[in-house]
Amino acid sequence: MILVYADHDLGVLDPLSLQAVTAAKALDTDVQVLVVGADGRGTADELAAHGATTAHLAVHDALTDYTPLAAARAAQQLVNELSPRAVISAGTPRGNEVLAHLGALMDVPMSADTVSITLSGTGNHEVVRNRWGGNLLETAIVHSPVLLATIAPHTVTALESPESVSVREFTPALDPIDTAVRVIERTGAGGGGIGLADARVIVSGGRGVGSAEGFESLEQLAELLGGAIGCSRVVTSAGWRPHSEQVGQTGTKVAPDLYIACGISGATQHIAGCRSAKTIIAINTDKDAPIMGFAHYAVIGDLHAVMPALVEATRAAKG
Amino acid sequence: MNIAVCVKRVPLSGGRWVLNADSTDIDTESSFLGFTLSPHEECAAEAAVQLVEANGGSSTVISLGVAESAEQIRDLLAVGIDRGVVVETDGTEWDPQATAAALTEQVRAGVPDVGAFDLVLLGTEAADTADYQVGIRMAHALGWPVVTNVKGLTISEGVARCERAVGSHREVYEVALPAVITVKDGINIPRYPSVPGRIKARKKPLDTVTGERPAPRLEKLRLDLPEVEERSATVLGTGADAVPALVDVFRQIGVI
């Protein structure tokens, strides 16, 4: 059996958790999920549609919002009770955090950002995991009776594999220390825009945009295409755009249908964040920029000339 | 308030990745411009300098790595960190559990003649190995709370208020010190070393202790370059003349 920690936020499942279930399903037909918090009950059907047979719902008065150590405690109790061969999670900030806590509680290793897993019966599991944001791959042996691993985002396509799920509610034994670190408040909700991680189209700007004002035509195109604005690290360091829009190894890793890279040279740190995009279009004055080795289509030229014309033509094409 | 910042010397990627002969490491001799710190960790050090400026106290950088890690520590001493410690290795890689144990030992030692640490700052993950766990394992060993992925940090009366970005909103956590906090790039903009800063840095204490690597439990066998589709972008045109072709692409992939 494989246990999957399902990352949800107030009952909304992170879609990467479905990729983790599919990855687990490739290792074992028996995939069970841990959902922490009563508000996560509604995620069981979606998880079952992708192959989960049992959803273990950890319910406790103290679990009203994300509480990382308590989630790991709940996972540890299931590991002791059910002896899974592996505990898997999506490589989201929460997935990585909860499995790292679990590794610390159990004093076993944890493989983060994993792209392939070969389980062993003798506690020497082979994994391949990302380094440098996926620019290098590491093959490693995890010496542990139970493998703990998080799955690198967008390396697995979530597949439907409907099962009838039984929801089993349990109350984890928690000490006050387990719930000391928890979300106590949420601020700055919304903002109206489409989140980077979920956007189908991202119009992204780099050094070539030249200024904060230079993003105006990028914003117009993003709005026309129902997309979001992204940017490179240079742009956030210069203060032209907020860090929340940074795409890259230290920013957000995205996988949109279309990624338009405007004035972005394509440093490895940036490519690590956008290489999963289905189509990449580069608009750049430099025909030899590294981005040209990753882009599907390119326009050679100054984005300040191309973008306003592209905005007009797109508006016209939409009618 | 005494703050420890844990950092790691990593190769400065020049955009091309070359492995050594037995594919166990990056060939830093022939393919890299030099070495640097992970971006998250530069921000952790900047956060420490700002917190000490605001609240008083001291800051110490601890780095597990080769003797040359002293170069990166000197850069941080030049931007305002007070002292440095290298836990020197023979250059072989330590897994996250071993790394956390060695760093924890230095945190337990405290600041000579000053006292115990109140706060340990790290990056959420290192640029190279990206294990996402060293800070968490240290917190467990120390018996301290830990908040990760922190993009906003203020400390008042022994309580750290931490903000973490999730999608389009921010989550707030509060923990009493002592605590471990792992930060993300974007929490601040690290300052550059000044010439007077560099001169001052020469007089700041930089100690070396020797680490003994335990058997790895996450054991690296080899590194590979990912197979990437050899691609050369289809050039749609030059300047604004390419716009009709771009609109055709938008239609083809169904975004308009």
Side-chain angles (χ1 to χ4, degrees), chain A residues 221 260-264 281-286 291-292 297-304 306-307 310, chain B residues 246:
Chain A
L221 185 64
I260 307 176
C262 306
I264 291 177
I281 299 175
I283 301 174
N284 210 296
T285 51
D286 179 5
I291 189 80
M292 298 303 172
Y297 301 100
V299 173
I300 312 302
D302 184 356
L303 67 96
H304 299 97
V306 178
M307 290 303 286
L310 183 56
Chain B
L246 276 172

Side-chain angles (χ1 to χ4, degrees), chain A residues 103-168:
Chain A
L105 287 172
M106 296 175 62
D107 193 23
V108 297
M110 191 279 272
S111 167
D113 222 11
T114 311
V115 298
S116 94
I117 294 172
T118 310
L119 290 176
S120 110
T122 55
N124 301 300
H125 314 285
E126 187 170 305
V127 295
V128 178
R129 55 183 302 275
N130 280 334
R131 285 200 175 200
W132 291 98
N135 285 302
L136 290 179
L137 295 172
E138 170 190 6
T139 302
I141 300 293
V142 182
H143 300 278
S144 172
V146 52
L147 173 72
L148 309 190
T150 65
I151 305 298
H154 310 299
T155 51
V156 177
T157 304
L159 299 175
E160 298 222 344
S161 170
E163 296 278 352
S164 64
V165 71
S166 59
V167 178
R168 177 182 158 267

